[in-house]
Amino acid sequence: MKTNIKQILGFSEFDREITVKGWVRTRRGSSNVSFVALNDGSTIKNLQIVIENDNFDVNIIKAITTGACIAVEGTLVKSQGSGQTCEVLAKKIEILGESDADKYPIQPKAHTMEYLRENAHLRPRTNTFSAVFRVRHALAFAIHKYFNDNGFFYWHSPIITASDAEGAGQMFHVSTLNPTNPPKNEDGAINYKEDFFGAETSLTVSGQLEGELGAMALGLIYTFGPTFRAENSNTARHLAEFWMIEPEMAFYDIQDNMDLVENFLKYVIHYALENCPDDLEFLDKRFAEEEKKKKQEERSEMGLLEKLNFIVSNQFERLTYTEAIEILLNSSHHKKKKFEFEVKWGIDLQSEHERYLVEKHFKKPVILTNYPKAIKAFYMKQNEGEEVGKETVRAMDVLFPGIGEIVGGSQREENYDKLMSRINEVGIDPENLWWYLDTRKFGTCPHSGFGLGFERLMLFVTGMGNIRDVIPFPRTPQNAKF
């Protein structure tokens, strides 16, 4: 029976017979003995296989090349060399899958991230990406565990929708109509009544609106699934397909929302620290090497592990958007004109502003609240009694070092008349949201929620520099390979 390498490396009893299977990272040695570094994906660490060449057919030895998949039966012994606790003395070797060593794209050397994206089908076999994807699993598991343990229900919001939750219009259309000759109305517009769903539909940009419906019945729900945005952006922070975590909570006000998000983020990051120590130690060293390549002023003031522990051990600073603007305006950074983007009340804060608040001013995570109504979504609860032009909503953004905004959320507007007024104000057809408005007619209550882009969390926890490198198969403009 196969034993995985992570288990084997934890054994303290030796001189036992084991079977191990995995992929060859490297093979070195002499004409008499070969040393094979074997990895099966269970850990970033390799298991050394010691092979007495004369005990095996020459064709078996020749087939043990980088990328090949093999099964080994042998004796687990205490390692005589440094850097490993144990090794396996091979007695039987089976070649499960040969690899053409000269053509194998993932050679035991440094490769650029762009090259590895072109070989995304094989990049999980590298140390970097195997570490990233094990951390991805740990974080996903921690998210489900956190919500389950705190009384939330996993709510499956639809991927195909007829509503644009964000109102941005950057959506992928879903249709079975003939694209070259679709049926049309008398005015020349496409007749979507003849489409599969009888209406114009798209891939969802958010599960929030449907999540609110769940919260109005089950109390506490969360969604965790793929979302899509047809934004023609090639930055290191954008994907066309990404995963979102969106809890919605009945009877929560903005303070409850902030308490939850802080507790949640600390929990999942702590879980990764506890359960992925080897992977995060490797990624910490990688992060340090990448930082050395940057200009001095662009380097992070903290290492990766230092940043993660920083989040877990610090209380998040809470302040209003207006207070943040005052801090930025009074900062030496602003007075010396070091900000690229203008600072004034009413702007949508840029990453440089957010990072200044976190990294320079407070030196801790920050939650900003009460943003200008004009720059936030229609569903956010409006604050009372404010001067015209200075209206705010009970929004909250969580800001982290090195990344800026990582979570956006709000208390939702539960008042039917105010919500309808806002919908009309931003030009949304109420008929398209009749079902959403119904929850404000029948048993409405204060409620709140937030959204966390999973890949953005992954960027922070792994220290990777590009969002395309924290998801197995990135979907970006002009790219849907694999």
Side-chain angles (χ1 to χ4, degrees):
M1 181 178 178
K2 172 187 174 294
T3 306
N4 72 45
I5 290 174
K6 185 176 182 179
Q7 288 177 297
I8 292 170
L9 294 175
F11 288 159
S12 57
E13 296 180 9
F14 303 110
D15 299 318
R16 61 167 77 182
E17 300 303 304
I18 63 167
T19 298
V20 61
K21 300 176 183 180
W23 293 271
V24 175
R25 288 291 176 85
T26 60
R27 191 192 88 201
R28 59 184 177 82
S30 63
S31 58
N32 297 322
V33 63
S34 295
F35 300 97
V36 174
L38 196 68
N39 191 283
D40 65 358
S42 62
T43 173
I44 197 167
K45 295 178 179 179
N46 301 323
L47 177 65
Q48 180 162 282
I49 311 297
V50 181
I51 303 170
E52 296 288 345
N53 294 342
D54 290 343
N55 294 336
F56 297 91
D57 185 282
V58 65
N59 292 318
I60 292 285
I61 302 300
K62 286 181 179 179
I64 302 174
T65 59
T66 297
C69 186
I70 65 174
V72 178
E73 294 179 21
T75 305
L76 182 69
V77 299
K78 192 170 183 178
S79 179
Q80 300 302 307
S82 60
Q84 64 232 0
T85 59
C86 59
E87 58 193 20
V88 174
L89 304 181
K91 292 183 177 179
K92 180 181 178 182
I93 300 173
E94 180 183 359
I95 306 298
L96 301 177
E98 293 189 19
S99 174
D100 187 328
D102 293 331
K103 295 181 180 179
Y104 182 57
I106 312 297
Q107 293 294 324
K109 64 177 183 179
H111 294 290
T112 66
M113 290 293 106
E114 188 58 44
Y115 175 82
L116 291 172
R117 287 178 210 131
E118 293 296 318
N119 291 278
H121 58 308
L122 295 172
R123 69 177 182 170
R125 298 192 196 180
T126 65
N127 282 338
T128 296
F129 285 95
S130 66
V132 165
F133 296 136
R134 279 187 294 269
V135 171
R136 187 179 174 103
H137 160 77
L139 286 173
F141 180 82
I143 287 163
H144 285 297
K145 180 172 171 53
Y146 177 86
F147 285 122
N148 180 73
D149 291 352
N150 284 277
F152 284 71
F153 298 101
Y154 186 22
W155 180 258
H156 296 99
S157 55
I159 289 176
I160 298 174
T161 180
S163 69
D164 180 358
E166 300 296 325
Q170 297 168 322
M171 303 177 78
F172 290 102
H173 292 285
V174 176
S175 177
T176 59
L177 297 178
N178 185 333
T180 59
N181 187 29
K184 296 184 177 180
N185 298 317
E186 291 182 2
D187 62 0
I190 295 175
N191 181 8
Y192 285 104
K193 290 184 178 179
E194 293 190 27
D195 207 347
F196 185 90
F197 293 107
E200 185 176 4
T201 54
S202 304
L203 297 178
T204 186
V205 299
S206 169
Q208 179 202 314
L209 301 189
E210 293 87 354
E212 287 187 50
L213 311 185
M216 291 299 99
L218 301 179
L220 304 174
I221 67 92
Y222 72 103
T223 73
F224 186 3
T227 50
F228 308 85
R229 192 157 299 175
E231 185 175 359
N232 190 18
S233 176
N234 275 297
T235 76
R237 291 290 184 270
H238 288 88
L239 288 170
E241 177 185 36
F242 53 99
W243 287 66
M244 285 284 288
I245 301 99
E246 297 176 292
E248 293 292 330
M249 300 78 67
F251 316 115
Y252 272 50
D253 62 17
I254 190 66
Q255 296 299 325
D256 300 321
N257 205 11
M258 288 191 284
D259 291 343
L260 177 73
V261 73
E262 179 170 348
N263 186 262
F264 165 70
L265 287 168
K266 287 181 175 179
Y267 176 90
V268 297
I269 292 172
H270 180 263
Y271 186 93
L273 286 165
E274 288 287 301
N275 290 274
C276 304
D278 293 336
D279 292 319
L280 289 176
E281 183 181 345
F282 170 84
L283 291 169
D284 180 56
K285 292 175 181 175
R286 180 191 179 278
F287 180 79
E289 290 301 315
E290 291 299 311
E291 288 298 298
K292 289 178 184 177
K293 300 175 185 177
K294 297 179 181 179
K295 296 177 182 178
Q296 185 67 40
E297 63 271 17
E298 296 175 352
R299 292 177 187 172
S300 172
E301 293 184 6
M302 292 183 282
L304 178 61
L305 288 172
E306 189 180 0
K307 278 200 301 183
L308 300 182
N309 283 297
F310 173 84
I311 297 297
V312 172
S313 59
N314 278 282
Q315 291 296 113
F316 293 11
E317 186 72 28
R318 301 181 184 187
L319 68 156
T320 67
Y321 169 92
T322 300
E323 290 170 332
I325 291 294
E326 287 300 314
I327 289 170
L328 293 171
L329 287 172
N330 291 323
S331 69
S332 61
H333 218 69
H334 173 69
K335 293 173 181 177
K336 293 178 181 178
K337 298 183 178 181
K338 290 185 177 181
F339 288 127
E340 180 183 353
F341 295 94
E342 182 184 14
V343 177
K344 67 177 182 178
W345 199 95
I347 65 165
D348 198 354
L349 292 176
Q350 299 296 316
S351 179
E352 63 174 343
H353 305 139
E354 295 167 339
R355 291 184 61 183
Y356 177 86
L357 293 169
V358 175
E359 298 168 27
K360 303 294 184 184
H361 188 81
F362 289 108
K363 298 187 183 298
K364 62 169 68 174
V366 169
I367 306 180
L368 291 186
T369 58
N370 294 352
Y371 279 78
K373 182 179 76 170
I375 63 173
K376 288 298 182 180
F378 73 92
Y379 48 72
M380 296 185 178
K381 185 168 182 63
Q382 300 168 50
N383 287 309
E384 304 283 350
E386 296 177 311
E387 63 177 285
V388 176
K390 289 281 187 176
E391 298 97 339
T392 63
V393 291
R394 294 183 192 174
M396 67 164 196
D397 284 350
V398 181
L399 314 180
F400 269 13
I403 200 167
E405 181 196 340
I406 193 167
V407 171
S410 71
Q411 185 172 337
R412 314 312 190 189
E413 180 58 77
E414 82 275 12
N415 182 283
Y416 176 86
D417 292 333
K418 290 182 179 179
L419 183 61
M420 179 63 83
S421 175
R422 183 68 174 138
I423 284 174
N424 289 326
E425 188 178 315
V426 298
I428 296 174
D429 185 353
E431 285 299 311
N432 293 335
L433 290 175
W434 65 268
W435 45 272
Y436 185 71
L437 289 164
D438 265 6
T439 60
R440 274 66 175 177
K441 293 180 182 178
F442 308 123
T444 190
C445 73
H447 60 288
S448 300
F450 63 80
L452 167 64
F454 187 46
E455 282 71 30
R456 185 155 288 207
L457 175 65
M458 280 291 299
L459 278 179
F460 182 78
V461 174
T462 63
M464 299 297 286
N466 194 308
I467 202 165
R468 303 175 193 205
D469 299 326
V470 295
I471 191 169
F473 305 105
R475 296 290 177 255
T476 53
Q478 304 298 309
N479 174 46
K481 285 187 290 188
F482 312 106

